[in-house]
């Protein structure tokens, strides 16, 4: 199943309380001047303080390729693959999605996906990893703390395969 | 054919040189086996392992490592002879299929003797296997002295997912027991190892790691470490690279056969592994 851009709308904030639980991630895939360009594969997850994956939010790759051939390069997102990917079966319902073109994109996730409302208080990171066939690989980490009482906004920047990454929790 | 005819002669020659290379701490010639990849995730998993004795790590600049005695321990823990090696001028190679999911240990273990004895007034010198030494020793030989060197050269390769069955120590000679999986090493993450001598933890053992690519840096970048009272050490590798790990026991044995006034028999142990640390 492809990740729907309107996923956030289908998963409304249920609690209605003061705890912020909706996460949106705005990320930039730079336009690269290279001889051979392929759209990057992108993984996005919430990382605990010890480096373990709390939840995988998105894995963007060539989901439509025949015979699941697109999965071959998913392991090039080495960090995600090592920590979570190799233990999962692709495609992941509601997590796998198509690659994105260069530009700025926003993905939104409700509490059912992030599990933020159930995570213990502490320091976390939103991690985004991009890997490009015949290109490079880069990770950007955006630290944040839970519980998020009220709105959380944080940003970080990539250098090569990723541009500005900002998160919002509300 | 030619290989097999000459193998015994060449093997002894090469092993002798390896002994010289590893016994002396200051020597620049290093034996190693280098896998093309330490984690193979393709459907039909294969790896090619090159073996060489070199001056620069991991350059093919000196001579091939004779890989005839290579053993492969499979992910189920069973050990079998490795495939036949192709030996070139500067390196030898084996192509190894990895049919089972898990971790393989590729090891070249050898025991060699450097010795001398007197027949009348003549001093004879010997270099070769322990069995040959016993066979060649003439009746009435006197002042028999020998230095037996037990050497292990190894590397680790994983198909798809790591496991630990191949990592169990054999409890013979000098061994490194990886407490962190050797195919799951990352730059700046803590790695733990334990060194054993005949199965017993070896405290205060100096060992070192040298990252590959010395020719592009100009400096060796050797990392010197020592095991603690439990024979263990934990450390972080500063950057992603192939690393050459080396230890010898006793730590500073000197070169050549045992001195004439030394003990009749002495033992030396050498350990070498090629380990890959990946980026995060």
């Amino acid at each position: 199943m492809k990740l729907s851009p309107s996923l956030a709308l289908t998963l409304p904030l249920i609690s209605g309380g003061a705890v912020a639980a909706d996460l949106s991630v705005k990320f930039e895939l730079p336009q690269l001047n290279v001889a051979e360009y392929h759209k990057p594969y992108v993984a996005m997850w919430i990382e605990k303080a010890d480096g373990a994956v709390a939840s995988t939010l998105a894995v963007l790759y060539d989901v439509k390729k025949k015979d699941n051939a697109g999965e071959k390069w998913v392991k090039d997102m080495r960090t995600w693959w090592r920590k979570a990917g190799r233990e999962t079966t692709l495609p992941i319902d509601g997590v796998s999605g198509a690659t994105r073109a260069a530009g700025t994109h926003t993905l939104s996730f409700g509490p059912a996906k992030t599990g933020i409302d159930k995570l213990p208080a502490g320091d976390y990171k939103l991690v985004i990893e991009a890997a490009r066939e015949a290109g490079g690989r880069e990770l950007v980490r955006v630290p944040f703390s839970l519980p998020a009482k009220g709105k959380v906004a944080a940003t970080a920047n990539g250098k090569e395969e990723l541009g500005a990454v900002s998160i919002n929790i509300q | 054919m030619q290989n097999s005819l000459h193998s015994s002669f060449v093997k002894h020659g090469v092993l002798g040189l390896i002994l010289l290379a590893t016994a002396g701490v200051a020597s620049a010639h290093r034996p190693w086996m280098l896998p093309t990849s330490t984690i193979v995730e393709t459907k039909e998993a294969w790896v090619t392992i090159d073996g060489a004795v070199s001056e620069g790590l991991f350059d093919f600049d000196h001579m091939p490592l004779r890989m005839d005695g290579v053993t492969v321990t499979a992910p189920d823990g069973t050990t079998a002879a490795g495939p036949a090696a192709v030996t070139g001028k500067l390196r030898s190679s084996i192509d190894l299929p990895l049919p089972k999911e898990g971790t393989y240990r590729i090891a070249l273990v050898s025991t060699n003797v450097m010795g001398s004895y007197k027949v009348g007034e003549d001093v004879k010198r010997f270099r070769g296997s322990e069995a040959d030494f016993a066979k060649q020793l003439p009746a009435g030989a006197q002042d028999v002295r020998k230095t037996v060197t037990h050497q292990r050269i190894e590397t680790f390769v994983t198909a798809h997912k790591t496991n630990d069955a191949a990592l169990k120590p054999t409890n013979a000679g000098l061994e490194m027991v990886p407490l962190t999986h050797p195919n799951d090493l990352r730059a700046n993450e803590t790695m733990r190892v334990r060194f054993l001598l005949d199965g017993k933890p070896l405290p205060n053992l100096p060992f070192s790691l040298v990252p590959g690519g010395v020719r592009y840096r100009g400096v060796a970048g050797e990392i010197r470490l020592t095991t603690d009272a439990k024979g263990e050490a934990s450390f972080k590798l500063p950057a992603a690279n192939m690393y050459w790990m080396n230890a010898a026991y006793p730590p500073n044995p000197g070169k050549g056969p045992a001195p004439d006034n030394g003990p009749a028999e002495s033992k030396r142990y050498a350990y070498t592994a090629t380990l890959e640390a990946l980026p995060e």
Side-chain angles (χ1 to χ4, degrees):
Chain A
M1 183 184 144
K2 283 211 309 178
L3 183 71
S4 158
S6 59
L7 191 63
L9 297 175
T10 65
L11 296 166
L13 188 62
I14 301 159
S15 69
V19 179
D22 274 1
L23 168 71
S24 70
V25 182
K26 188 174 168 189
F27 61 100
E28 184 191 0
L29 300 177
Q31 189 78 52
L32 296 165
N33 182 21
V34 291
E36 183 186 347
Y37 183 81
H38 301 271
K39 288 180 191 170
Y41 282 21
V42 176
M44 212 180 277
W45 68 96
I46 294 173
E47 192 174 86
K48 298 182 206 168
D50 66 359
V53 174
S55 58
T56 297
L57 303 176
V59 184
L60 312 180
Y61 60 98
D62 193 347
V63 285
K64 281 191 174 163
K65 204 160 185 174
K66 221 176 133 188
D67 300 327
N68 298 324
E71 292 175 10
K72 184 179 170 187
W73 290 283
V74 169
K75 61 172 76 82
D76 288 349
M77 294 182 279
R78 294 300 320 170
T79 301
W80 176 76
W81 181 254
R82 176 193 179 202
K83 293 183 172 184
R86 73 168 95 230
E87 304 300 332
T88 63
T89 308
L90 291 164
I92 310 172
D93 203 19
V95 170
S96 294
T99 53
R100 300 292 194 273
T104 300
H105 304 273
T106 303
L107 293 177
S108 298
F109 311 96
K113 175 70 69 62
T114 63
I116 278 180
D117 52 342
K118 292 185 182 68
L119 288 173
D123 293 329
Y124 294 88
K125 293 182 182 91
L126 181 284
V127 191
I128 177 167
E129 180 175 23
R132 208 161 37 82
E133 191 185 342
R137 178 179 74 98
E138 185 170 21
L139 276 93
V140 171
R141 286 190 165 87
V142 189
F144 64 93
S145 292
L146 291 178
K149 291 181 190 122
K151 205 171 154 160
V152 171
T155 59
N157 278 288
K159 292 188 187 107
E160 294 273 338
E161 301 292 337
L162 287 162
V165 179
S166 58
I167 64 165
N168 263 290
I169 302 173
Q170 54 187 8
Chain B
M1 259 300 137
Q2 201 178 12
N3 262 358
S4 66
L5 282 173
H6 289 274
S7 77
S8 140
F9 168 76
V10 176
K11 186 190 235 169
H12 293 162
V14 172
L15 288 174
L17 283 167
I18 294 163
L19 288 179
L20 286 178
T22 52
V25 173
S27 172
H29 290 115
R30 296 159 162 154
W32 41 264
M33 288 191 288
L34 181 71
T36 46
S37 177
T38 55
I39 296 188
V40 186
E41 291 171 321
T42 47
K43 265 180 196 158
E44 198 192 343
W46 281 80
V47 68
T48 295
I49 295 160
D50 289 322
V53 178
S54 78
E55 199 158 334
L57 286 174
F58 291 91
D59 304 330
F60 305 108
D61 61 11
H62 183 51
M63 64 192 290
L65 181 71
R66 183 58 65 167
M67 290 168 80
D68 293 344
V70 157
T71 58
V72 176
T73 305
D76 60 9
T78 57
T79 301
V86 174
T87 301
K89 175 68 181 162
L90 293 174
R91 68 172 155 194
S92 49
S93 289
I94 58 171
D95 289 332
L96 185 67
L98 311 171
K100 295 181 184 123
E101 182 175 291
T103 300
Y104 291 74
R105 174 197 291 245
I106 299 97
L108 189 58
V109 182
S110 56
T111 302
N112 297 280
V113 173
M114 281 186 290
S116 67
Y117 52 88
K118 266 186 179 173
V119 180
E121 288 302 303
D122 290 346
V123 177
K124 307 274 187 191
R125 305 227 171 251
F126 174 88
R127 177 167 287 163
S129 76
E130 204 158 19
D132 284 349
F133 185 70
K135 231 182 279 170
Q136 287 187 20
L137 199 64
Q142 287 183 316
D143 285 351
V144 180
R145 294 183 187 284
K146 64 174 181 175
T147 301
V148 180
T149 299
H150 184 274
Q151 166 146 323
R152 171 178 284 268
I153 301 167
E154 67 185 6
T155 192
F156 306 90
V157 173
T158 292
H160 304 290
K161 282 184 192 175
T162 59
N163 78 331
D164 291 340
L167 306 181
K168 289 198 184 94
T170 64
N171 298 330
L174 180 60
E175 286 179 285
M176 184 270 292
V177 182
L179 303 177
T180 309
H181 196 286
N183 293 141
D184 196 21
L185 308 179
R186 295 296 184 285
N188 298 314
E189 286 189 11
T190 302
M191 176 186 186
R192 286 179 62 227
V193 299
R194 182 186 295 136
F195 277 93
L196 303 178
L197 184 64
D198 294 333
K200 293 193 192 76
L202 196 50
N204 307 315
L205 177 77
F207 65 99
S208 61
L209 291 139
V210 184
V214 178
R215 74 204 283 195
Y216 307 114
R217 288 195 298 276
V219 292
E222 180 167 341
I223 301 159
R224 299 284 295 162
L225 297 157
T226 307
T227 59
D228 63 14
K230 290 186 286 185
E232 295 177 11
S234 64
F235 51 91
K236 287 179 181 179
L237 297 172
N241 210 326
M242 282 286 185
Y243 285 83
W244 185 78
M245 178 188 253
N246 182 248
Y249 186 86
N252 295 297
K255 281 190 179 186
D260 290 346
N261 57 357
E265 183 173 340
S266 57
K267 278 198 164 181
R268 292 176 190 174
Y269 301 87
Y271 178 84
T272 296
T274 305
L275 302 168
E276 184 175 39
L278 293 168
E280 182 195 16

